[in-house]
Amino acid sequence: AAIGLRASGAIRRTEAVISVPQNVAITAETALRSDLGKWISEFEPELADFSFIALSLLHERRLGDQSELAAWLGSGILPTQPDVPLLWGEEDQRRLCGSTSAPFAERLASASADFDWLEANAFAAEPLFFPESVFNKQAFTEAVALAFSRCVWLRSPDADLPALVPMLDLANHADTPNAQIKLKPASKGGLFGGKAEPPMAQLVALVDIAQGEPITLSYAESTRAELLIDYGFLQEPVPAEWVTTFSLDEDDINFDDKCDVLESAGLEPSQQFVLSEKGEKRPVSL
């Protein structure tokens, strides 16, 4: 049976369902500030924060009972091999690579490229710190799959960051969710009472939730195919969609200037667009 969250009692709109201290979250910054930092300071992963999170997860597992997250990692709630395409068999992966709406071939290549860099620049240089029994390609791929499928997004005015957060990762997806994740700043104890609290990541109800009702999040504004790649499920109905990519030519003498123009519009040098038969007005950026 699938794991998820259900309300044990009636929950009112805006009520915090779960609060987790932000310092237990695994983020890219977790890896960079840990003992791993000196080995990965020049690491520029193709999978961005997710490869840092995967590496940090392997590091915590290597620590075993000495890890502050040992109870969570050993609870069985966090799987070691999630059922997502990165861990499927070769034939199923080959078929998915042929999809016009799922950029899975790129995901496979990026995961492999990130591991190759780590193996050449960190793992081989310090085998005692990075034992092969923990830091190998299969384990890294599994950790990357876990990072994509179980991370939640911590959104602030400064940045949107993926993070592995105990308990918050248990909420299932819905196109119209009844909860969202909010960040609560640290609070100081008052002169007349009041408990000091560290910064919190909270699961907050968007509407009134009845007892027994599933508590859901919107994982991402993605196509059905992208949800399949990241999270391992295909939500129906599946609309007819096609993903196309436009990229700047890096040999263009005006490449840097064009990158600046795109950045000012919130676009990347290589940008994907989703085309659909529904007939919606196409985005201005296209």
Side-chain angles (χ1 to χ4, degrees):
I3 295 177
L5 294 177
R6 289 183 179 272
S8 59
I11 300 171
R12 293 186 177 183
R13 183 175 66 88
T14 74
E15 183 178 345
V17 181
I18 299 173
S19 297
V20 181
Q22 291 183 41
N23 63 3
V24 304
I26 297 179
T27 65
E29 195 66 21
T30 303
L32 292 167
R33 290 184 176 180
S34 71
D35 294 340
L36 298 167
K38 65 179 180 179
W39 303 107
I40 58 175
S41 60
E42 297 182 3
F43 185 32
E44 297 182 358
E46 294 188 14
L47 296 178
D49 286 18
F50 294 99
S51 281
F52 283 116
I53 291 170
L55 189 59
S56 188
L57 182 61
L58 293 179
H59 177 57
E60 294 296 332
R61 285 179 169 165
R62 181 184 71 84
L63 293 176
D65 292 340
Q66 297 178 22
S67 168
E68 295 180 353
L69 300 174
W72 176 51
L73 295 175
S75 66
I77 294 176
L78 194 68
T80 55
Q81 293 184 319
D83 184 14
V84 295
L86 266 180
L87 304 179
W88 286 0
E90 290 185 5
E91 177 59 23
D92 289 333
Q93 288 184 338
R94 184 189 65 78
R95 294 172 62 187
L96 187 56
C97 283
S99 169
T100 59
S101 60
F104 182 61
E106 292 87 343
R107 175 67 55 81
L108 274 177
S110 294
S112 181
D114 285 353
F115 175 80
D116 290 345
W117 189 97
L118 289 167
E119 185 178 42
N121 295 277
F123 302 164
E126 192 60 51
L128 293 179
F129 188 82
F130 297 104
E132 188 178 359
S133 59
V134 176
F135 296 91
N136 55 70
K137 188 168 187 176
Q138 179 63 27
F140 178 75
T141 304
E142 291 172 359
V144 168
L146 192 60
F148 273 104
S149 63
R150 297 301 286 267
C151 272
V152 297
W153 287 88
L154 304 183
R155 305 186 187 280
S156 70
D158 298 326
D160 294 344
L161 301 175
L164 271 177
V165 187
M167 299 304 294
L168 298 190
D169 65 321
L170 293 177
N172 286 319
H173 170 79
D175 285 341
T176 306
N178 56 17
Q180 65 178 344
I181 293 174
K182 290 188 174 182
L183 300 182
K184 180 182 178 183
S187 60
K188 298 180 180 180
L191 292 175
F192 302 100
K195 185 179 179 181
E197 288 187 341
M200 294 284 188
Q202 296 184 318
L203 186 63
V204 177
L206 290 170
V207 297
D208 292 343
I209 302 174
Q211 181 177 354
E213 187 178 345
I215 300 172
T216 57
L217 291 170
S218 175
Y219 287 172
E221 294 182 0
S222 304
T223 66
R224 293 293 193 256
E226 289 169 333
L227 287 172
L228 173 62
I229 291 175
D230 288 348
Y231 301 101
F233 66 85
L234 187 62
Q235 190 169 358
E236 297 182 342
V238 181
E241 294 175 325
W242 179 56
V243 177
T244 185
T245 302
F246 294 93
S247 301
L248 293 180
D249 183 354
E250 294 185 6
D251 294 329
D252 189 326
I253 60 173
N254 297 312
F255 178 78
D256 291 339
D257 292 334
K258 290 180 179 180
C259 285
D260 291 339
V261 173
L262 287 174
E263 184 178 0
S264 68
L267 299 174
E268 300 289 336
S270 180
Q271 187 74 38
Q272 289 185 343
F273 299 92
V274 179
L275 305 182
S276 170
E277 70 172 2
K278 291 181 179 179
E280 299 100 333
K281 182 179 180 181
R282 62 185 181 183
V284 175
S285 54
L286 183 59

